[in-house]
Amino acid sequence: VCSYNILANYQLEKEENGLYIGCDSEVFDLTFRLQTLYAEIKELDCDIVAFQELDRFFEVDQAMKEMGYVGIFKKRTKEETLD
């Protein structure tokens, strides 16, 4: 089982208080983060993969399908989301 907190893009965008000072800006790019994540998932060959704070489910679901996974989306409750 592999579990990842993706850090939703909307969370990054509202973090203007300096929480991520000193981090390379490249790591904030969603494409970079997802490509890195997919490579790790392929290497680990996980049977089950769980994501938290994933605000781009359908985009990620397509890539995961290409790796042989079946996705299930469970919307977070009691908190404002962008979907």
Side-chain angles (χ1 to χ4, degrees):
V1 176
C2 299
S3 182
Y4 298 92
N5 185 312
I6 303 301
L7 186 57
N9 271 0
Y10 78 92
Q11 294 286 12
L12 280 174
E13 292 165 1
K14 74 179 190 178
E15 285 297 337
E16 297 177 1
N17 62 4
L19 184 60
Y20 301 106
I21 290 177
C23 294
D24 186 348
S25 61
E26 179 183 57
V27 300
F28 299 132
D29 177 67
L30 181 63
T31 301
F32 172 81
R33 292 189 292 139
L34 290 177
Q35 293 306 316
T36 304
L37 178 68
Y38 300 149
E40 183 170 317
I41 290 169
K42 286 178 186 177
E43 183 178 324
L44 294 173
D45 194 27
C46 308
D47 292 324
I48 299 171
V49 181
F51 299 115
Q52 298 81 43
E53 290 194 34
L54 178 61
D55 60 353
R56 302 279 200 277
F57 172 77
F58 297 104
E59 177 182 339
V60 171
D61 186 48
Q62 182 59 42
M64 296 298 290
K65 283 180 182 176
E66 291 171 12
M67 290 189 280
Y69 291 95
V70 175
I72 299 170
F73 176 75
K74 170 65 173 103
K75 186 175 181 175
R76 186 175 191 163
T77 56
K78 297 186 181 184
E79 186 172 310
E80 185 177 324
T81 61
L82 297 178
D83 51 334

